[in-house]
Amino acid sequence: MTKTFYSRALLLAGCAGITTFAAPAYAQDAVDDTTSVSDEAEEGVIIVTARRREERLIDVPLSVTAISGEALAQQGIQDLTQIGQQVPNITLEVSRGTNTTLTAFIRGVGQQDPVAGFEAGVGLYVGDVYLNRPQAAVLDVYDVERIEVLRGPQGTLYGRNTIGGAIKYVTAELPDDTSVKIRGTYGSYDQADLIITASTPISDSLKIGASGARLSRGGFGDNLTLGTENYNKDVWAARGTIEFDSGPVFVRLSGDYVKDNSEARQGHRFIPGRLSGAPVLDDVFDTRAGLNIVDQEVEAFGGALNVAIELSDTITFKSITGYREDSSTSPIDFDSLPAVDLDVPAIYENDQFSQELQLLFESDNLSGVLGFYYLDANAFTAFDVALFTTVAGLTAQTLGDANTETWSVFGDFTYDLTDTINLSLGGRYTNDKRTSQVLRTTFLGGFSNLFGGTGVAAAVTSNFNGSATFEDFNPRASISWQPNANHNLYFSYSQGFKGGGFDPRGQTTACRNPRGGACNADEVFDFLAFDPETVDSYELGWKASLLENRVNISLAAFLGQYTDVQIPGSVGFDSNGDGVNESFIGITSNAADADVNGIEFEGTALVGRDFAGDGSRFSVNWSLGVLDAKFNTFIDNFGRDVADQRVFQNTPDVTAHMGFTLGLPMAGGTTDFIGLASLRSDASQFETPNPFLDQDGFVLVDASVVYTVDSGLFSIGVHGKNLFDKEYIVAGYNFVAGGVGGAPFVPTLGREGTLTGFYGDTRRIYVTAQVNF
C-alpha cells in the first residue's frame, strides 16, 4: 500500500476529527439528513429497532449505522450495495457472474459462494423477514423507511448466520392521507427508471398501497461474441401493502415481486487465451464469453404478515410470518471466451417459510423481548461444468439440494441498576437441522439434458445423502453508563454462529481413507461435512450527542475471536491420474481460527444554519473503520499450517468516507449540494493473495445537486457516481497457477487458463425528478 494512500486515509480521519469540534455552539436542534430515521427527526432523535424494540440510537449498546429513506433518495442511491460506501468495515458487492446475488462481509466475516449448502455470514432482513439465500438479494432501493446496519455478531436477537452482522431493510409504512408519488430517472447508458407509488385510506383503520418499478439501463460494455450488452439492467418490480390499525392492534400484509431479465454479466480476462491466443481486451467491461444455452433470468417473490397487539400498557405481542421463493438461471462462462473451455450453466431455486413470535415488555426500569423463531427452507442448485477443450464433449454435472429446518428460543432484557447504569443480558438456543443431497454425474458428448444438451451419462461420481443437527447457545451481555441522556459509554459481549452443513460440490469418489483406499460411508460423511463457525466479540464503545444535537458521534473498539472458520474452496480434480483435471470439486473444512480486531468512528455535525438566509444549512458526516484481521491457524489441503500465507478475503484494512450537505434556499425551495468521498484500502478476493485479482486501495467520489420546492410536492436532482471513473475489481475466478515473477501461466482446469475479473460500476450521471400528489 502506498504512502499516498495512507495519507488520504489520515486526511479523511483528520477532517472528521476536526469537524467534531468545529460546529458553533449556539442552541438549535439539529439532525443530519444522512442518518435521520424517525418521526422525531425534527428534534434530532434517531430511532432504530436494532434490539427488536424501538430505542434511541444513542441508547443501543452496539455498533449501528442507520440511513433514512430520504437521505438515500437525496444521494441518488439505487441499490443496496451502494450503502457500503458510507458504512465502516463492510463490503457489499454483486457476486461474480450474476446481476442480483449479494456478497456481504462485515468486520471480515461473510460468504461469497452462492451455491446451495453454504450459508451467509451477514443476515439480510426485509420487513423483519430473514432472507435465507443471497440470490435476488441486491435489493433496489424504493419505498424504504430506513436501512440499518448492525455490525458484530447478532446471534442472540437475530439468530444463525448473523455472525458478521445484520442488514435491515425497513419498508415504509403507508401515510395517513391519499398520496401518489411518481419518480423518474434518465441518465448515462440510456438509464431509464420509473417508480410509481400510491396509497389511500379505505376507512379510519384500513389503508392500502402499491408500488411498481421499471428499471433499465444499457450495458457498460459489450459481449463481442454474442452481440449482447454486458453489465446492463432490465428489471420489473412491484410491491403491495394492506395495513389495519385500530390502536392496540396493527396488522400489515405485504408482498413483493421482481423479474430481472438483464443479460448475463460476464468477466474480463486478465491473460491471453493459452490455447486460442485471444488477446486481453482493452475495455474491462467487454467480454468474449460464448455460453448462451440458458438465458440470464431471475424471478423472486414473497410475502409477509406482521401483527402487533398491545396486550397492556407494558406488554406487546408480535407475530412475523414470511414466505419467499426465487428461481434463476445463469450462463456463467468462467473463461470468458467463445470456446467451451470452462463453461458453467447454472440453475438456482430457493424457497422458505418462517414464523417468529415475540413478547415485548416495557416498564420504568425493565425492558426486553422473549421470542420463538422457526424456519423451513430449501435451496436447490444444478450446474454443468463443460470442459470441451480438455476432452471433447466432457461435462461434469452437479445437483445439490439442501434442506434447512431450524428453530430457536431467545430472550434479551435490559434492567436499570441505577439512574445512570443499566445491564443487558440475553441468550438464544438454536436447533439447526441440515439435510443435503449431492449428486455428481459425468456426461460425454455435450451438456446434460437438464440444459438441453445431448450428453450421455457415463459415470456417477457422487451420490450422497446426509443429515446433521447442530445445536448452539449464543449469549449476549452489556453494561452501559449514561451520565445523562446525551452520553452512553458501554461494554458488550456477543456471540454468533454460522450453520454447518455438507459441501455442495463435494465428490465422494475423491475421498481417500488414511490407508489410501476408498472411503466407507462414515468416512464419506466426514469428508463432505463441515461444522458451524463462531465469533465471540468484545466491544467498548462511546456514543454522544453534543452541542444540543448538533454533533453526534459513535466510537467503538472491538476484539473478535473467530473459531472453526469454514474455508470453502474449489480445486481442479484428476480422477484417473492422467494428469488432466476433468472437473472442479469442493473441499470445505473448518480449517482456521483468527482474530478480528478494530475500531470504528462515525459521526455527523451541523456546522452552520441560517447563514445564507432562513433554512440554509451546512452539515458533514463521516466514518472510519480500521481492521486488524489475521489468521492464527490455517490448515491447507496437505495438513500444513499456512496462516502466514493467507489473508482475509473481501476485507480492507481501512474503510472511510467523508460527506457533506450544503442547503441553500432559492426560488421558493431549497437546493442541496451533496458530496461524498469513500475510501477502501487494498483487498484480496480470496484467502490466497493474487496480484492479478486483488484490488489496490482506491477512492470513489459521488456528488448530487437536488432542488426541492418548499411544499415538498416536487424535486429534481442531478447525481454523479464514481465521478473520476475509477476501475475497481469486486469479484473474480482463478483457475491458473504461476504467472508470478515472469513464470508462465499454467491452467489448472480447462486449457485456455481462467483468470477473470468483474468490476464495480463505471462513471454514471443521471437526472431524477419526483412529483408528489
Side-chain angles (χ1 to χ4, degrees):
M1 191 182 299
T2 66
K3 182 178 179 181
T4 301
F5 181 81
Y6 274 120
S7 298
R8 291 175 181 172
L10 291 172
L11 179 61
L12 280 172
C15 290
I18 292 170
T19 304
T20 302
F21 303 100
Y26 55 87
Q28 291 194 30
D29 292 333
V31 63
D32 179 64
D33 285 341
T34 60
T35 55
S36 171
V37 298
S38 76
D39 292 336
E40 300 177 73
E42 67 275 12
E43 300 178 7
V45 178
I46 301 170
I47 304 297
V48 295
T49 55
R51 292 198 293 177
R52 296 301 184 104
R53 51 195 187 267
E54 289 191 353
E55 300 175 283
R56 297 189 313 156
L57 179 60
I58 197 173
D59 295 332
V60 180
L62 57 91
S63 295
V64 183
T65 299
I67 307 175
S68 71
E70 179 184 0
L72 295 168
Q74 285 271 352
Q75 297 175 43
I77 290 178
Q78 297 180 320
D79 71 57
L80 186 66
T81 64
Q82 295 174 7
I83 70 168
Q85 290 181 231
Q86 51 191 302
V87 179
N89 293 328
I90 189 173
T91 296
L92 297 175
E93 304 290 0
V94 178
S95 297
R96 57 198 180 191
T98 76
N99 292 303
T100 59
T101 299
L102 181 66
T103 293
F105 285 76
I106 296 179
R107 292 183 178 177
V109 182
Q111 172 63 263
Q112 70 165 317
D113 198 323
V115 177
F118 293 133
E119 300 292 289
V122 174
L124 178 61
Y125 293 78
V126 178
D128 280 331
V129 175
Y130 170 64
L131 271 59
N132 188 56
R133 301 299 303 157
Q135 284 80 26
V138 179
L139 303 174
D140 293 299
V141 173
Y142 67 98
D143 289 352
V144 59
E145 175 71 22
R146 66 184 179 274
I147 294 176
E148 299 178 14
V149 180
L150 289 59
R151 297 185 298 281
Q154 307 296 324
T156 299
L157 285 171
Y158 292 90
R160 59 195 285 279
N161 303 341
T162 58
I163 186 171
I167 301 171
K168 299 183 65 176
Y169 187 103
V170 183
T171 51
E173 292 188 2
L174 300 179
D176 293 330
D177 299 320
T178 298
S179 69
V180 177
K181 180 171 65 178
I182 301 175
R183 184 176 180 87
T185 300
Y186 185 79
S188 305
Y189 301 95
D190 290 327
Q191 177 182 350
D193 300 341
L194 179 64
I195 301 171
I196 301 176
T197 301
S199 65
T200 187
I202 301 300
S203 66
D204 291 342
S205 57
L206 184 65
K207 295 179 285 188
I208 61 172
S211 296
R214 171 60 174 146
L215 312 172
S216 65
R217 189 197 65 237
F220 300 148
D222 295 303
N223 187 315
L224 304 182
T225 299
L226 301 178
T228 57
E229 295 180 301
N230 205 25
Y231 290 81
N232 75 319
K233 187 167 188 175
D234 183 359
V235 172
W236 294 87
R239 290 181 185 151
T241 304
I242 301 173
E243 288 182 358
F244 174 82
D245 189 352
S246 66
V249 177
F250 176 81
V251 180
R252 188 173 202 248
L253 177 64
S254 59
D256 62 88
Y257 173 85
V258 63
K259 180 68 181 296
D260 189 334
N261 296 314
S262 307
E263 298 287 352
R265 181 174 297 200
Q266 305 289 10
H268 169 76
R269 288 184 62 86
F270 295 107
I271 60 175
R274 303 294 296 169
L275 182 65
S276 64
V280 175
L281 295 172
D282 293 333
D283 190 331
V284 298
F285 294 103
D286 286 346
T287 185
R288 290 193 181 93
L291 181 61
N292 64 346
I293 66 168
V294 295
D295 293 327
Q296 178 82 35
E297 290 183 334
V298 179
E299 186 175 29
F301 59 90
L305 177 63
N306 296 62
V307 179
I309 304 174
E310 295 181 9
L311 301 178
S312 70
D313 291 341
T314 58
I315 299 176
T316 299
F317 169 79
K318 285 188 177 181
S319 171
I320 305 166
T321 307
Y323 178 82
R324 299 202 66 84
E325 186 173 323
D326 67 80
S327 61
S328 57
T329 56
S330 183
I332 309 173
D333 196 325
F334 279 45
D335 59 280
S336 290
L337 286 172
V340 184
D341 183 66
L342 181 47
D343 289 9
V344 183
I347 297 171
Y348 302 94
E349 295 178 353
N350 308 297
D351 62 76
Q352 66 173 83
F353 169 80
S354 62
Q355 175 64 58
E356 183 166 0
L357 304 175
Q358 299 175 10
L359 199 62
L360 292 91
F361 180 83
E362 185 88 32
S363 68
D364 292 339
N365 59 359
L366 178 67
S367 62
V369 59
L370 289 172
F372 170 82
Y373 179 77
Y374 174 79
L375 172 72
D376 185 3
N378 176 263
F380 172 79
T381 301
F383 59 87
D384 281 4
V385 178
L387 300 160
F388 294 178
T389 61
T390 302
V391 176
L394 175 64
T395 298
Q397 183 190 82
T398 298
L399 303 179
D401 197 340
N403 286 289
T404 299
E405 187 173 22
T406 183
W407 61 270
S408 59
V409 290
F410 61 92
D412 186 86
F413 282 86
T414 299
Y415 180 72
D416 295 333
L417 299 174
T418 70
D419 290 341
T420 60
I421 299 175
N422 65 67
L423 176 68
S424 295
L425 295 173
R428 187 184 195 110
Y429 167 79
T430 300
N431 183 288
D432 191 28
K433 182 179 180 180
R434 306 299 303 281
T435 302
S436 293
Q437 178 184 14
V438 181
L439 177 64
R440 293 174 62 98
T441 307
T442 298
F443 288 80
L444 297 176
F447 289 99
S448 71
N449 58 3
L450 188 64
F451 296 98
T454 57
V456 177
V460 174
T461 56
S462 279
N463 190 0
F464 173 81
N465 284 277
S467 181
T469 299
F470 307 98
E471 297 179 86
D472 200 78
F473 179 76
N474 297 135
R476 193 191 78 83
S478 68
I479 188 166
S480 297
W481 176 52
Q482 294 182 267
N484 56 52
N486 297 319
H487 293 269
N488 183 4
L489 183 67
Y490 67 89
F491 177 75
S492 68
Y493 163 76
S494 60
Q495 186 188 82
F497 86 103
K498 184 166 76 173
F502 304 91
D503 194 313
R505 286 188 290 257
Q507 184 157 311
T508 56
T509 55
C511 179
R512 290 293 180 268
N513 61 33
R515 301 172 300 281
C519 295
N520 60 34
D522 290 339
E523 291 167 333
V524 166
F525 184 96
D526 292 338
F527 179 67
L528 265 68
F530 54 89
D531 291 327
E533 62 181 24
T534 60
V535 170
D536 292 88
S537 180
Y538 304 84
E539 181 169 311
L540 178 65
W542 174 47
K543 296 183 179 183
S545 180
L546 309 173
L547 306 178
E548 300 192 10
N549 286 335
R550 295 177 60 84
V551 177
N552 292 276
I553 61 174
S554 175
L555 179 64
F558 55 89
L559 303 176
Q561 298 172 345
Y562 194 7
T563 56
D564 294 325
V565 183
Q566 299 167 4
I567 305 295
S570 298
V571 297
F573 181 65
D574 176 12
S575 62
N576 55 18
D578 64 357
V580 177
N581 294 330
E582 302 93 0
S583 182
F584 62 78
I585 64 172
I587 299 177
T588 300
S589 60
N590 299 89
D593 70 80
D595 291 330
V596 184
N597 307 324
I599 61 171
E600 293 166 349
F601 180 38
E602 296 181 280
T604 66
L606 179 65
V607 179
R609 171 173 279 177
D610 298 334
F611 54 85
D614 291 344
S616 61
R617 64 192 185 282
F618 179 65
S619 62
V620 296
N621 57 88
W622 67 87
S623 68
L624 173 67
V626 179
L627 272 183
D628 178 20
K630 62 180 181 181
F631 289 105
N632 299 318
T633 59
F634 193 114
I635 308 303
D636 68 6
N637 296 334
F638 302 99
R640 304 171 302 187
D641 188 350
V642 293
D644 59 344
Q645 303 170 38
R646 299 294 186 266
V647 298
F648 271 62
Q649 59 170 283
N650 292 287
T651 302
D653 291 340
V654 178
T655 55
H657 98 273
M658 192 76 189
F660 72 86
T661 300
L662 171 63
L664 298 175
M666 58 181 66
T670 300
T671 300
D672 289 307
F673 300 86
I674 303 167
L676 175 72
S678 62
L679 173 150
R680 298 176 67 83
S681 65
D682 302 354
S684 177
Q685 295 298 327
F686 303 104
E687 284 84 6
T688 303
N690 184 299
F692 303 95
L693 279 178
D694 295 345
Q695 176 61 52
D696 293 335
F698 64 97
V699 174
L700 297 179
V701 176
D702 300 341
S704 299
V705 179
V706 181
Y707 171 78
T708 306
V709 299
D710 287 338
S711 65
L713 296 178
F714 174 75
S715 66
I716 186 168
V718 179
H719 306 279
K721 301 296 181 183
N722 189 6
L723 287 177
F724 294 100
D725 205 17
K726 175 64 182 177
E727 293 179 353
Y728 58 100
I729 301 169
V730 298
Y733 292 109
N734 177 29
F735 286 95
V736 295
V740 179
F745 290 98
V746 178
T748 58
L749 193 59
R751 297 181 64 189
E752 291 281 12
T754 292
L755 185 60
T756 54
F758 298 84
Y759 284 77
D761 288 359
T762 187
R763 177 170 53 211
R764 293 181 295 134
I765 308 292
Y766 48 91
V767 178
T768 295
Q770 180 171 309
V771 179
N772 301 321
F773 299 97

